[in-house]
Amino acid sequence: NVTEDVIWACTSCRACEIACPVFIQQTDKIYEARRNLVMMESKFPPEVQTVFKNMETNASPWAFAASDRANWIEGLDIKTMAEQPNPDVLLWVGCAGSFDDRNKKVLKAFVSLLKKSDIKFSILGNEEQCTGDPARRIGNEYLYQTLATANIETMNRYSVKQVVTACPHCFNTIKNEYKDFGGNYEVFHHSQFISKMIQEGKLKPTKSLDANVTFHDSCYLGRWNDIYGEPREAIDAIPGIKRVEMKHHHDQSMCCGAGGGRMWMEEKIGTPINI
């Protein structure tokens, strides 16, 4: 007997599928159960209601105004697609990159690398909306498809061919799920793109860093997309760095607990996964 608590506890980390000796695809079945609960029975954790409402009204899981999505680029000389419609690559910022202070730093650092490499890039700015990933993971398929088709329409209008993003969830959704709705793009995670820029000689790390560094394989890069090498290659290219592996790494990596829409749900049972 699978209770609703079990259905909502899943972080879609896929560790169970990697461990399963008979290759059962539990994650897809859990999504189907969630879709039934959300769309047929309107039964879901109460805090998720706010997330759905924010995604409907602000095109982001948070209550930030959609018109503020491009505020982070102030003073950075970054062009939007409307201003520069034929770039080499579209930088997909994502909601966290647009609104979360720690993630903004990641985006700004990555932008400086793109500029150093003379790569012509644009962002969608206020034309970008949430990919819909949280809605799909939580079971609101209708909301997911609304956001996905709107984004694909925008991207296809600009004839986008290549996309790079720093978010593993945006990466997975645009790369693997948008093609079902007519969105066919070559999609890179920014760690792959950095590794590529180094290999092509466009970037050459010269500043030495005397540090022990480890890389956490996020579920949506690792177990979902089999990307393990390029992030490590990028780290190894920095002079002086000593890269160490955690006890659990590659496809045995620990889940942070926020996938599968869990980032926006309260943990009431057991110990939080990140702990």
Side-chain angles (χ1 to χ4, degrees):
N1 182 23
V2 179
T3 64
E4 283 180 30
D5 282 337
V6 171
I7 299 301
W8 291 115
C10 175
T11 64
S12 70
C13 74
R14 258 187 145 170
C16 59
E17 293 183 13
I18 293 288
C20 180
V22 288
F23 306 108
I24 296 169
Q25 294 184 310
Q26 294 95 325
T27 317
D28 290 342
K29 291 172 176 58
I30 288 168
Y31 287 155
E32 281 173 32
R34 284 184 178 185
R35 278 199 284 275
N36 178 60
L37 285 171
V38 172
M39 298 177 72
M40 304 312 248
E41 298 184 32
S42 282
K43 284 165 85 173
F44 43 82
E47 60 271 24
V48 167
Q49 184 71 55
T50 314
V51 179
F52 291 159
K53 188 170 180 291
N54 288 337
M55 290 176 83
E56 283 164 14
T57 52
N58 308 318
S60 141
W62 295 292
F64 294 105
S67 55
D68 291 344
R69 192 174 270 274
N71 287 6
W72 70 278
I73 69 170
E74 224 169 281
L76 285 181
D77 186 33
I78 294 174
K79 300 269 192 292
T80 62
M81 274 297 212
E83 295 162 336
Q84 179 177 268
N86 292 306
D88 303 327
V89 65
L90 165 68
L91 173 58
W92 186 273
V93 181
C95 305
S98 303
F99 300 118
D100 177 79
D101 286 340
R102 283 177 69 183
N103 263 283
K104 284 183 208 170
K105 290 178 189 168
V106 174
L107 267 293
K108 286 174 183 176
F110 183 53
V111 160
S112 73
L113 296 181
L114 291 173
K115 289 184 174 179
K116 276 194 177 77
S117 307
D118 287 327
I119 284 166
K120 187 178 164 194
F121 70 97
S122 301
I123 65 168
L124 282 172
N126 292 348
E127 288 189 271
E128 183 185 291
Q129 300 187 39
C130 178
T131 58
D133 166 85
R136 175 168 259 197
R137 305 299 160 231
I138 296 168
N140 193 335
E141 183 67 13
Y142 174 77
L143 179 54
Y144 163 71
Q145 291 193 20
T146 306
L147 289 160
T149 49
N151 281 323
I152 291 162
E153 204 174 290
T154 305
M155 289 157 88
N156 290 352
R157 192 174 76 240
Y158 286 117
S159 305
V160 168
K161 289 175 185 63
Q162 285 198 332
V163 181
V164 62
T165 180
C167 172
H169 298 267
C170 296
F171 168 77
N172 178 69
T173 303
I174 299 170
K175 179 181 165 66
N176 298 322
E177 300 182 353
Y178 271 22
K179 51 179 178 252
D180 294 339
F181 303 91
N184 296 291
Y185 319 105
E186 190 181 5
V187 188
F188 298 92
H189 184 252
H190 77 310
S191 63
Q192 292 179 300
F193 210 80
I194 291 168
S195 175
K196 184 168 167 281
M197 291 190 291
I198 293 167
Q199 278 172 357
E200 290 170 359
K202 290 176 181 164
L203 268 187
K204 188 164 171 32
T206 51
K207 194 175 173 185
S208 185
L209 187 64
D210 179 23
N212 282 354
V213 172
T214 194
F215 179 74
H216 170 248
D217 294 286
S218 72
C219 308
Y220 272 79
L221 268 195
R223 282 185 287 263
W224 279 90
N225 284 288
D226 219 24
I227 293 166
Y228 300 108
E230 294 105 313
R232 288 170 171 82
E233 286 160 18
I235 293 167
D236 292 343
I238 301 166
I241 263 187
K242 182 169 179 278
R243 180 169 58 79
V244 291
E245 292 291 2
M246 285 183 268
K247 184 183 166 194
H248 299 282
H249 57 86
H250 285 69
D251 67 1
Q252 301 299 306
S253 174
M254 289 287 196
C255 174
C256 73
R262 288 285 336 165
M263 179 156 171
W264 293 278
M265 299 180 216
E266 299 302 327
E267 293 198 62
K268 299 180 178 76
I269 302 163
T271 312
I273 289 180
N274 62 327
I275 294 170

